[in-house]
Amino acid sequence: MPPAKHRTTPARRGLRRAGSAAIAGAASVAGVGLVAQPAAANDNVWDRVAHCESTGNWSINTGNGFYGGLQFWHPTWTSFGGGEFAPYAHQATKLQQITVAQRVLRVQGPGAWPVCSVRAGLTMTNGLAPYPGQDAPAPAPAPSPAPAPGTSGTWYVSATPGANIRSGPSTSHRIVGGASTGSRITGTLSNGWVRIADGRFISQTTLTTSAPAPAPSPSPSPSPSPAPPSASGTWWVSANVGANIRSGPGTNFRVVGGAAKGTQITGTLSNGWVNMGNGRFISHATLTGTNPGGSTPAPAPGAGEVQTWRVNAPIGANIRAGAGTNTAVIGGASHGTTVRGTLSNGWVKLDGRSGWISASILIQTG
């Protein structure tokens, strides 16, 4: 089932981040209310959903991570057998995309398109009715071997860059955590959701019963493959919306900063998190071992040299009393704010005023 398409932070509302199954309503991008959807050229309910999601463009691929007329998230497309038609949804025909959508509808219900299903009037009845030219909706593909519903079992997160953990068994429940790709999940499966513990659920569509292969032995030459556990190294932020920096190695720790896409990260990898030092951690699932080139921030200035910086964190930056996250917050600077200061041990001491800002959420501009 879909996590929301954008963050619930002030920067971008309604995030799909470390991802449940997912198709999400493109209408949520605009933040519009649930008003009546104008009829598409063909008044079938799937045409109306596509009109809402992609203005009816069945071959659309804008590079936003969602594909085709019904804006499939790629793990959802493959989990529901889309690969038998085409590698990605936008490469399949309209009827093939609708066939996979009907499979999703059977398992996740109309809420798989949380905004556009309402606007288009999608129901289980009209959504599963044969589309013109379709003999009958194809049944959902047989799932991978797994325990019967209501029984306990063990799974592994297959979704990239991970999966949301929710407070209940549907995407209408709030996100209470996350699990990175390859994480081991133990719980009870029922109606497409695995109950991990009281108040914690994860969608089965983000899981596999196959344990991940052991990490390969490091090669003598540089490789973009994930670094072995507890290894020091350098990475770059690959997530389009940037990455949170937290006070500990887990999503239950508080956010203490952010790093934009392309930011260089140096630290020690352990259990899926990179320790950047000074009580700062970043999820390895948001990083790549390949230098993106021009998007890397400019080299740090020499010691003692006052330089100009710009805040590059969607949630803004804390101004602290000292160079560390264990010091008091004495102010803040919003995204895009220009500051001047001197870099020292990963922190910029502000010039002309009291306070320090973490260099990991700044871009040098002069």
Side-chain angles (χ1 to χ4, degrees):
M1 298 185 67
K5 198 168 194 176
H6 298 291
R7 292 185 184 277
T8 52
T9 62
R12 297 182 67 185
R13 299 195 177 275
L15 168 78
R16 160 193 273 87
R17 168 79 79 173
S20 302
I23 307 165
S28 64
V29 176
V32 297
L34 302 181
V35 298
Q37 176 69 22
N42 185 331
D43 199 40
N44 183 276
V45 68
W46 288 113
D47 290 283
R48 297 197 299 272
V49 174
H51 183 81
C52 172
E53 291 282 355
S54 64
T55 64
N57 185 347
W58 294 88
S59 60
I60 191 170
N61 172 17
T62 63
N64 66 348
F66 303 90
Y67 305 89
L70 300 172
Q71 290 291 275
F72 282 93
W73 191 40
H74 189 56
T76 299
W77 175 256
T78 56
S79 295
F80 284 86
E84 70 187 71
F85 301 125
Y88 285 82
H90 70 285
Q91 298 168 337
T93 67
K94 174 179 176 179
L95 281 180
Q96 289 168 344
Q97 292 180 48
I98 291 172
T99 295
V100 177
Q102 289 168 332
R103 296 172 181 174
V104 175
L105 181 65
R106 279 193 183 90
V107 176
Q108 300 183 5
W113 298 266
V115 173
C116 289
S117 62
V118 177
R119 299 183 67 188
L122 176 65
T123 66
M124 296 294 288
T125 300
N126 61 21
L128 294 177
Y131 188 87
Q134 208 181 30
D135 293 334
S144 301
T151 60
S152 298
T154 299
W155 297 264
Y156 301 87
V157 176
S158 59
T160 302
N164 286 329
I165 296 174
R166 294 183 177 270
S167 61
S170 78
T171 55
S172 61
H173 292 273
R174 64 189 178 88
I175 296 172
V176 295
S180 59
T181 304
S183 297
R184 186 174 183 267
I185 301 295
T186 301
T188 303
L189 172 65
S190 180
N191 296 323
W193 287 80
V194 174
R195 181 178 179 177
I196 304 172
D198 287 343
R200 301 178 69 226
F201 295 79
I202 189 168
S203 173
Q204 186 196 12
T205 59
T206 67
L207 308 176
T208 178
T209 55
S210 301
S217 300
S219 59
S221 57
S223 169
S225 301
S230 301
S232 298
T234 300
W235 298 267
W236 289 265
V237 175
S238 60
N240 288 329
V241 295
N244 286 329
I245 296 173
R246 295 182 178 271
S247 61
T251 55
N252 57 319
F253 289 89
R254 63 190 179 90
V255 176
V256 295
K261 181 178 181 180
T263 301
Q264 181 177 307
I265 301 296
T266 301
T268 303
L269 172 64
S270 178
N271 296 324
W273 289 80
V274 174
N275 184 347
M276 303 166 61
N278 293 322
R280 298 176 302 140
F281 295 79
I282 190 168
S283 172
H284 185 253
T286 66
L287 308 177
T288 177
T290 304
N291 188 341
S295 59
T296 304
E305 182 180 351
V306 176
Q307 293 288 322
T308 302
W309 312 77
R310 186 177 72 251
V311 176
N312 196 43
I315 59 175
N318 287 329
I319 298 175
R320 294 185 176 271
T325 56
N326 58 334
T327 60
V329 176
I330 60 174
S334 60
H335 178 69
T337 300
T338 297
V339 298
R340 286 179 57 78
T342 305
L343 178 67
S344 176
N345 295 323
W347 288 78
V348 172
K349 186 179 187 305
L350 300 180
D351 186 44
R353 60 184 291 189
S354 299
W356 299 70
I357 298 178
S358 172
S360 66
I361 52 177
L362 299 176
I363 290 180
Q364 182 189 340
T365 59

